[in-house]
Amino acid sequence: MLLSLGRCHVIPFFKQIYDSSNSIFTRWAKYSSKTGLFFFYSSTLFTTTTQHNTLLQYYLTLPKTTHMHSVEATMDLEWLFDYLKGMIKPVAATVVVLLAVLLSFVQKLGLEGEMVYSILRAFVQLSVIGFVLQFIFTQENIGWIILAYLFMVTVAGYTAGQRAKHVPRGKYIAGASILAGTAVTMFLLVLLKVFPFTPRYIIPIAGMMVGNAMTVTGVTMKKLRDDIKLQMSLVETALALGATPRQATIQQVKRALVIALSPVLDNAKTVGLISLPGAMTGLIMGGASPLEAIQLQIVVMNMLIGASTVSSIMSTYLCWPAFFTKAYQLESKVFKFD
């Protein structure tokens, strides 16, 4: 019962095993009238119900009104202290960024401002998303998982659409393609019980898939449009001979898909030989066995290939209505600009 009270932040509770073999019951409490805080220290774990009740009765006899507000205030600020303490190392790591800024200044690259802005923006974005994920992980509602996933897809669709800015409705096409590819892949993984449908698993996995699908989709759309523009006469000749838009642009589609998917496939071929991937590195640094980290990384590589392939192929199908008229002619205004 007292452990439950500790979890609910009624009092700061600390415990450690001092002599588990003898099960020594030596505990003491200290009440500070100056701060109004009640600190409970324990030298061993609770072993009997009688000990639970004895300590609980002792705690209940204390004047709560004098220290409860102080305890709550301390707990409210504790997360901030922990966060600031944990940011010491990330701040120290900015030394290498300062080195990059110095080199940019010496070489007169003019990238100093962009470097500083980029790292500051990364600090803010990661800090905010850290607090958001901390909140979502404590929730039982799957609606938060879906909401976070749709937010990532929306941002990814906008970013990929910016890369293919000359494709009409490119942001919507990219978003729909990324949504289709990642949703199908995620559904299969959950259906096969590779991952449980919980925020701690789904959100990081969805983030990796959406990020890769975003890059591949943006490259596919841009490359397809550029290739059709360069070979407009060839495509128009095929259309005049009765070919469908799909048949007239089959070579351009293949070329765009190969170029977009090649980095993903090359990464899968060289994984572990040149560099250790992020998921695997994080597990190893977190204390997991290298064998367990390898198993997870294999799953990650499989899902990245699957999601990226589905998203890129879907984007080619969704681009055709923008590239051709209803009469199966090239939409000239789409290919007017470089």
Side-chain angles (χ1 to χ4, degrees):
M1 184 181 297
L2 190 54
L3 289 174
S4 298
L5 292 172
R7 291 192 190 99
C8 295
H9 307 295
V10 175
I11 60 173
F13 177 71
F14 304 90
K15 62 179 184 293
Q16 71 177 56
I17 298 177
Y18 178 75
D19 191 352
S20 57
S21 60
N22 296 326
S23 198
I24 299 176
F25 180 51
T26 56
R27 300 174 176 83
W28 57 280
K30 177 183 178 182
Y31 179 76
S32 173
S33 58
K34 193 175 290 187
T35 61
L37 294 177
F38 174 70
F39 293 94
F40 186 83
Y41 297 88
S42 171
S43 61
T44 183
L45 294 172
F46 294 122
T47 56
T48 65
T49 305
T50 304
Q51 294 169 358
H52 276 271
N53 296 336
T54 302
L55 288 172
L56 181 60
Q57 291 174 2
Y58 175 76
Y59 172 71
L60 293 176
T61 59
L62 295 174
K64 297 180 179 53
T65 56
T66 60
H67 66 269
M68 285 301 293
H69 293 298
S70 299
V71 171
E72 293 174 356
T74 302
M75 296 306 297
D76 289 341
L77 294 177
E78 184 177 353
W79 68 269
L80 180 59
F81 296 147
D82 292 341
Y83 172 74
L84 294 176
K85 182 179 179 180
M87 290 299 291
I88 294 177
K89 292 182 179 179
V91 171
T94 57
V95 171
V96 294
V97 179
L98 296 178
L99 176 61
V101 171
L102 179 61
L103 291 175
S104 175
F105 176 76
V106 172
Q107 296 295 322
K108 299 181 180 180
L109 302 178
L111 297 175
E112 301 87 347
E114 187 172 353
M115 287 180 178
V116 174
Y117 169 75
S118 299
I119 197 63
L120 290 177
R121 178 172 173 173
F123 263 84
V124 174
Q125 289 178 178
L126 291 175
S127 299
V128 172
I129 198 62
F131 290 123
V132 172
L133 291 178
Q134 182 70 20
F135 169 77
I136 294 177
F137 287 172
T138 59
Q139 306 301 309
E140 300 292 336
N141 192 346
I142 64 173
W144 287 107
I145 302 178
I146 298 175
L147 184 62
Y149 169 64
L150 292 177
F151 174 78
M152 288 188 289
V153 170
T154 302
V155 176
Y158 178 84
T159 305
Q162 287 287 94
R163 177 185 292 272
K165 58 183 178 180
H166 293 306
V167 177
R169 301 181 298 277
K171 298 180 179 64
Y172 299 101
I173 293 174
S177 302
I178 295 170
L179 178 64
T182 55
V184 169
T185 306
M186 185 69 67
F187 175 76
L188 292 176
L189 291 176
V190 174
L191 184 65
L192 296 174
K193 297 183 179 180
V194 178
F195 295 111
F197 194 76
T198 59
R200 191 169 295 275
Y201 284 91
I202 297 300
I203 293 179
I205 292 169
M208 287 186 284
M209 287 195 299
V210 169
N212 278 266
M214 173 191 71
T215 303
V216 171
T217 301
V219 173
T220 300
M221 295 169 59
K222 184 179 186 301
K223 184 61 178 175
L224 179 58
R225 185 260 179 192
D226 292 346
D227 278 2
I228 293 176
K229 182 179 183 299
L230 291 174
Q231 299 177 334
M232 285 183 64
S233 59
L234 182 62
V235 174
E236 288 175 339
T237 301
L239 291 173
L241 294 175
T244 64
R246 177 71 177 179
Q247 294 170 336
T249 58
I250 188 65
Q251 295 302 321
Q252 291 79 11
V253 169
K254 287 183 178 180
R255 189 180 299 108
L257 291 174
V258 169
I259 292 176
L261 291 173
S262 291
V264 179
L265 299 178
D266 290 342
N267 189 29
K269 294 175 185 177
T270 60
V271 62
L273 300 178
I274 298 177
S275 62
L276 296 179
M280 183 176 175
T281 302
L283 283 174
I284 294 177
M285 293 179 66
S289 166
L291 297 180
E292 295 176 348
I294 289 172
Q295 294 170 0
L296 177 62
Q297 189 59 49
I298 292 174
V299 175
V300 170
M301 296 307 303
N302 292 340
M303 71 184 190
L304 293 183
I305 293 176
S308 299
T309 303
V310 175
S311 297
S312 58
I313 294 176
M314 179 64 68
S315 67
T316 62
Y317 279 94
L318 295 179
C319 280
W320 279 324
F323 293 160
F324 297 91
T325 64
K326 294 181 179 180
Y328 285 1
Q329 295 177 334
L330 283 174
E331 193 71 66
S332 58
K333 63 180 181 181
V334 176
F335 305 99
K336 185 183 302 183
F337 305 99
D338 292 331

